[in-house]
Amino acid sequence: MERKIFLNERDLPTQWYNIVADMPNKPLPPLHPATKQPVGPEDLAPLFPMALIQQEVSSEQYIDIPEEVQAAYRIWRPTPLIRATNLEKALGTDCKIYYKYEGTSPSGSHKPNTAIPQAYYNKQEGVKRIITETGAGQWGTALSFACNQFGIDCEVYMVRISFDQKPYRKILMNTFGAKVYSSPTNSTQAGRNALAADPHTPGSLGLAISEAIEMAVGDEHTKYALGSVLNHVLLHQTIIGQEAKKQLEYTGDYPDIIIAPLGGGSNFAGLTFPFIKDKIAGNAVRCIAVEPASCPKLTKGKFMYDFGDTQGYTPLLPMYTLGHTFTPAAIHAGGLRYHGASVLCSQLLKDGLIEAQAIQQLECFEAGVLFAKVEGIIPAPEANHGIAQVIREVNKAREEGISKTILFNLCGHGFVDMVAYQDYFDGKLQDHSFSDEELTSEIEKLEALQP
Amino acid sequence: MERKIFLNERDLPTQWYNIVADMPNKPLPPLHPATKQPVGPEDLAPLFPMALIQQEVSSEQYIDIPEEVQAAYRIWRPTPLIRATNLEKALGTDCKIYYKYEGTSPSGSHKPNTAIPQAYYNKQEGVKRIITETGAGQWGTALSFACNQFGIDCEVYMVRISFDQKPYRKILMNTFGAKVYSSPTNSTQAGRNALAADPHTPGSLGLAISEAIEMAVGDEHTKYALGSVLNHVLLHQTIIGQEAKKQLEYTGDYPDIIIAPLGGGSNFAGLTFPFIKDKIAGNAVRCIAVEPASCPKLTKGKFMYDFGDTQGYTPLLPMYTLGHTFTPAAIHAGGLRYHGASVLCSQLLKDGLIEAQAIQQLECFEAGVLFAKVEGIIPAPEANHGIAQVIREVNKAREEGISKTILFNLCGHGFVDMVAYQDYFDGKLQDHSFSDEELTSEIEKLEALQP
């Protein structure tokens, strides 16, 4: 049996899977904050090219991947599916553990799966420049690479805490040709407001989104791009799960449990949605989203309408949220420091089609170091959350005296995140829990936004 | 046609190729510096396990790869062979360019190919601890991983300039469980001598070797390990070229030109030796070793007996050298800052079976940034030397109006070397050439060492 299962490039999926077509309860519409009426495509036109807006509202089950996008995917895709034989041995389990490894991409994570089509559709509609934000730096790196592939300028607002913790990420973006700013900046009203409130703010993904949107809407040749949360972003990521399904077919296995970390929801959706299709059809597969205990929107947030950004520039989205004014603790898994979960993932959680778990960062790093030693891949801090949950499930299976087949998304490598590991070894990392009061105070402010 | 050519794990080569069997002129023996007589296996026994010493002096054409080593190789091997379609397009060439990508390994380079068997054979002979040096940090990372796989302690003396330039490398080694020291240290006589001569010395690979040897020979349960230069190290790396040959068979192509950077010689040997076998048999393939112009042992050094380390602890080796007291310029390609070339590569160069080119670092980084943008992989600074030579050959082919098939070794990724790219973008990198006088002064001192 091979440890690594590769697909040929000619087996690359040629369509994305749109889970909206199969959801028993369709997602609620995004609302205009002033009118509380559903937003239409025209409301999104200043931000996105029409092709992406159409995907955002589509209910077609499958959407064709353009040939040019397939060609760019083939730079690194299909990605390997790996049987974690060494991890199984280290854990002394007879569970079968597989991981889909998205770290072989240009940016080292799953993010180029959507950056490539986003850059492509923008180019098709004559856009000259794309502005975006980035948390951990993965999304900004991916979009920098994708924009360069299609000859578009790229500017990135990077959350300050990541900008400071991850200098290599900025250099990566520069290498791919992008301009990078530490957010909050003084260039936007959103940034100036944040700096006035707290000059030392670590920033947040929500705030960086506000800055990027503000800069993008002011120029007719410029659009905005988002690396997670939105329906079309999750759609593009389904190439991960479709590949994984084909690869598992070669092994004869089908997962009992699928695990992925959840920040906005795109890597979780990418791996799980093609399997949730089966679950909706009656399969018993369990899909578990893992979030940091220091940003527990799925396990301790509320399902409400809320803004996607701190400043309130986006439509109101129906999602599990801690409130758009919530500031997560300054943990190293920057990609998971977001106040809300995508509309699609939120609806699926509400309907009991997926589960959620919150884990503290020390347990995650312990899991990541073990994984690195035995499997030979340093995981990104975000990915460590998935591994920690895998170990929990393995221990549970052992206690119950059963064997499970577990699939998880190793959504990125950690070569550019080594400072996080140093801080872990130096004992500088702490677990962090918010009190119930801290968690509810920002959520209560959302009452006025509800329709 | 697929861009990426994968082999199945069951197609992993089961033997290493030993070029000594086929060399028209066998390598000269290493000499004991006191007696000027050939060293025997017993002279090397304090440093290496007997299995590796036997490989060092073997003239068998093929040597079996133990099953346990094959199993560890399968953690990441076989590595992909990639047709650089995007680079070809960017260069506007009808040359075919292929690269063997060794960056998918645990340390991000080709180094684990020898670290794994070295750790394995040491374990077999009861060794508890291995001490080594590392230049750019690739070798140290590889050995850290390999030692952990086989349950051996690992300590690494890291050249100070790399220790300072590449903090992430140290953390990687720590993550895999190794202890890391900035060389020169005060723990060894060699280190104390160097610090007395120049407290601000950037260190060198030769000096770090001296320190590691000094620490290793003092303990009966401790051995030393070297990441390049020696015959057994080059032997282990031939898995690269053997895989590449099989992969090229699927394409129907055979290279006209093979290119790889050369520091000590192991990644160059790994890719080229299985092809030089064909050249010795009459094939016209050209194999080009690329060195930094700031450490030009192949193009401006002399073929003489010299020490492998600065202090003179090793046997005398017959090789192209700049003198063991030569200090290369402080360039970012730390893995290429070594005063000599391996005995096997030196003999092949002397016999006209390989060629050599020296390139300045600015040309190399320019090539690397282009490669990153179009092919989606950030190359290690060492690897940039190969890419720069590929571009030179493409330009030459264009001038001559011919098309060539070029294969090169992308021996590692640069995710952990981003500071080098930042310095490049900031204009802080300079080209450096030594005067003829500077180059000959250290070589002249070698006269007394000749037999």
Side-chain angles (χ1 to χ4, degrees), chain B residues 275-286:
Chain B
F275 292 92
I276 294 175
K277 177 173 186 290
D278 301 343
K279 188 177 177 77
I280 292 168
N283 190 296
V285 60
R286 292 173 54 207

PDB file of all heavy atoms in Angstrom, chain B residues 275-286:
ATOM      1  N   PHE B 275      23.448   9.756 -14.573  1.00  0.00           N
ATOM      2  CA  PHE B 275      23.536  10.144 -15.976  1.00  0.00           C
ATOM      3  C   PHE B 275      24.997  10.125 -16.457  1.00  0.00           C
ATOM      4  O   PHE B 275      25.267   9.858 -17.628  1.00  0.00           O
ATOM      5  CB  PHE B 275      22.936  11.539 -16.194  1.00  0.00           C
ATOM      6  CG  PHE B 275      21.439  11.591 -15.987  1.00  0.00           C
ATOM      7  CD1 PHE B 275      20.906  11.910 -14.748  1.00  0.00           C
ATOM      8  CD2 PHE B 275      20.562  11.323 -17.029  1.00  0.00           C
ATOM      9  CE1 PHE B 275      19.528  11.961 -14.547  1.00  0.00           C
ATOM     10  CE2 PHE B 275      19.186  11.375 -16.849  1.00  0.00           C
ATOM     11  CZ  PHE B 275      18.660  11.694 -15.597  1.00  0.00           C
ATOM     12  N   ILE B 276      25.932  10.449 -15.555  1.00  0.00           N
ATOM     13  CA  ILE B 276      27.350  10.400 -15.934  1.00  0.00           C
ATOM     14  C   ILE B 276      27.752   8.960 -16.246  1.00  0.00           C
ATOM     15  O   ILE B 276      28.619   8.717 -17.079  1.00  0.00           O
ATOM     16  CB  ILE B 276      28.230  11.020 -14.813  1.00  0.00           C
ATOM     17  CG1 ILE B 276      27.918  12.523 -14.695  1.00  0.00           C
ATOM     18  CG2 ILE B 276      29.718  10.822 -15.106  1.00  0.00           C
ATOM     19  CD1 ILE B 276      28.628  13.225 -13.563  1.00  0.00           C
ATOM     20  N   LYS B 277      27.091   8.003 -15.595  1.00  0.00           N
ATOM     21  CA  LYS B 277      27.247   6.593 -15.976  1.00  0.00           C
ATOM     22  C   LYS B 277      27.037   6.433 -17.489  1.00  0.00           C
ATOM     23  O   LYS B 277      27.814   5.767 -18.174  1.00  0.00           O
ATOM     24  CB  LYS B 277      26.227   5.745 -15.207  1.00  0.00           C
ATOM     25  CG  LYS B 277      26.199   4.264 -15.521  1.00  0.00           C
ATOM     26  CD  LYS B 277      25.256   3.552 -14.534  1.00  0.00           C
ATOM     27  CE  LYS B 277      25.299   2.040 -14.716  1.00  0.00           C
ATOM     28  NZ  LYS B 277      24.671   1.593 -15.965  1.00  0.00           N
ATOM     29  N   ASP B 278      25.986   7.067 -18.013  1.00  0.00           N
ATOM     30  CA  ASP B 278      25.711   7.008 -19.449  1.00  0.00           C
ATOM     31  C   ASP B 278      26.792   7.741 -20.245  1.00  0.00           C
ATOM     32  O   ASP B 278      27.180   7.326 -21.332  1.00  0.00           O
ATOM     33  CB  ASP B 278      24.350   7.635 -19.773  1.00  0.00           C
ATOM     34  CG  ASP B 278      23.205   6.933 -19.053  1.00  0.00           C
ATOM     35  OD1 ASP B 278      23.405   5.801 -18.572  1.00  0.00           O
ATOM     36  OD2 ASP B 278      22.118   7.531 -18.979  1.00  0.00           O
ATOM     37  N   LYS B 279      27.265   8.862 -19.684  1.00  0.00           N
ATOM     38  CA  LYS B 279      28.267   9.664 -20.389  1.00  0.00           C
ATOM     39  C   LYS B 279      29.564   8.865 -20.524  1.00  0.00           C
ATOM     40  O   LYS B 279      30.202   8.868 -21.580  1.00  0.00           O
ATOM     41  CB  LYS B 279      28.519  10.969 -19.638  1.00  0.00           C
ATOM     42  CG  LYS B 279      29.412  11.956 -20.403  1.00  0.00           C
ATOM     43  CD  LYS B 279      29.557  13.260 -19.637  1.00  0.00           C
ATOM     44  CE  LYS B 279      30.500  14.222 -20.342  1.00  0.00           C
ATOM     45  NZ  LYS B 279      29.871  14.886 -21.511  1.00  0.00           N
ATOM     46  N   ILE B 280      29.932   8.200 -19.446  1.00  0.00           N
ATOM     47  CA  ILE B 280      31.133   7.369 -19.490  1.00  0.00           C
ATOM     48  C   ILE B 280      30.982   6.296 -20.565  1.00  0.00           C
ATOM     49  O   ILE B 280      31.941   5.930 -21.254  1.00  0.00           O
ATOM     50  CB  ILE B 280      31.409   6.734 -18.098  1.00  0.00           C
ATOM     51  CG1 ILE B 280      31.800   7.828 -17.088  1.00  0.00           C
ATOM     52  CG2 ILE B 280      32.503   5.672 -18.176  1.00  0.00           C
ATOM     53  CD1 ILE B 280      31.827   7.375 -15.642  1.00  0.00           C
ATOM     54  N   ALA B 281      29.717   5.849 -20.742  1.00  0.00           N
ATOM     55  CA  ALA B 281      29.441   4.820 -21.753  1.00  0.00           C
ATOM     56  C   ALA B 281      29.291   5.410 -23.158  1.00  0.00           C
ATOM     57  O   ALA B 281      28.994   4.671 -24.100  1.00  0.00           O
ATOM     58  CB  ALA B 281      28.185   4.051 -21.368  1.00  0.00           C
ATOM     59  N   GLY B 282      29.454   6.746 -23.289  1.00  0.00           N
ATOM     60  CA  GLY B 282      29.450   7.325 -24.622  1.00  0.00           C
ATOM     61  C   GLY B 282      28.383   8.363 -24.908  1.00  0.00           C
ATOM     62  O   GLY B 282      28.404   9.024 -25.942  1.00  0.00           O
ATOM     63  N   ASN B 283      27.453   8.562 -23.998  1.00  0.00           N
ATOM     64  CA  ASN B 283      26.406   9.571 -24.181  1.00  0.00           C
ATOM     65  C   ASN B 283      26.998  10.980 -24.125  1.00  0.00           C
ATOM     66  O   ASN B 283      27.985  11.220 -23.424  1.00  0.00           O
ATOM     67  CB  ASN B 283      25.353   9.378 -23.078  1.00  0.00           C
ATOM     68  CG  ASN B 283      24.117  10.209 -23.320  1.00  0.00           C
ATOM     69  OD1 ASN B 283      24.185  11.429 -23.324  1.00  0.00           O
ATOM     70  ND2 ASN B 283      23.005   9.540 -23.553  1.00  0.00           N
ATOM     71  N   ALA B 284      26.366  11.927 -24.839  1.00  0.00           N
ATOM     72  CA  ALA B 284      26.940  13.276 -24.940  1.00  0.00           C
ATOM     73  C   ALA B 284      26.458  14.241 -23.862  1.00  0.00           C
ATOM     74  O   ALA B 284      26.772  15.430 -23.899  1.00  0.00           O
ATOM     75  CB  ALA B 284      26.615  13.859 -26.310  1.00  0.00           C
ATOM     76  N   VAL B 285      25.670  13.761 -22.903  1.00  0.00           N
ATOM     77  CA  VAL B 285      25.098  14.674 -21.902  1.00  0.00           C
ATOM     78  C   VAL B 285      26.177  15.524 -21.223  1.00  0.00           C
ATOM     79  O   VAL B 285      27.251  15.031 -20.864  1.00  0.00           O
ATOM     80  CB  VAL B 285      24.283  13.881 -20.846  1.00  0.00           C
ATOM     81  CG1 VAL B 285      25.157  12.875 -20.106  1.00  0.00           C
ATOM     82  CG2 VAL B 285      23.583  14.819 -19.871  1.00  0.00           C
ATOM     83  N   ARG B 286      25.863  16.845 -21.087  1.00  0.00           N
ATOM     84  CA  ARG B 286      26.769  17.770 -20.391  1.00  0.00           C
ATOM     85  C   ARG B 286      26.248  17.989 -18.971  1.00  0.00           C
ATOM     86  O   ARG B 286      25.082  18.318 -18.781  1.00  0.00           O
ATOM     87  CB  ARG B 286      26.810  19.119 -21.096  1.00  0.00           C
ATOM     88  CG  ARG B 286      27.456  19.116 -22.469  1.00  0.00           C
ATOM     89  CD  ARG B 286      27.282  20.490 -23.131  1.00  0.00           C
ATOM     90  NE  ARG B 286      27.770  21.559 -22.279  1.00  0.00           N
ATOM     91  CZ  ARG B 286      27.318  22.827 -22.304  1.00  0.00           C
ATOM     92  NH1 ARG B 286      26.341  23.170 -23.125  1.00  0.00           N
ATOM     93  NH2 ARG B 286      27.818  23.738 -21.498  1.00  0.00           N
TER      94      ARG B 286
END
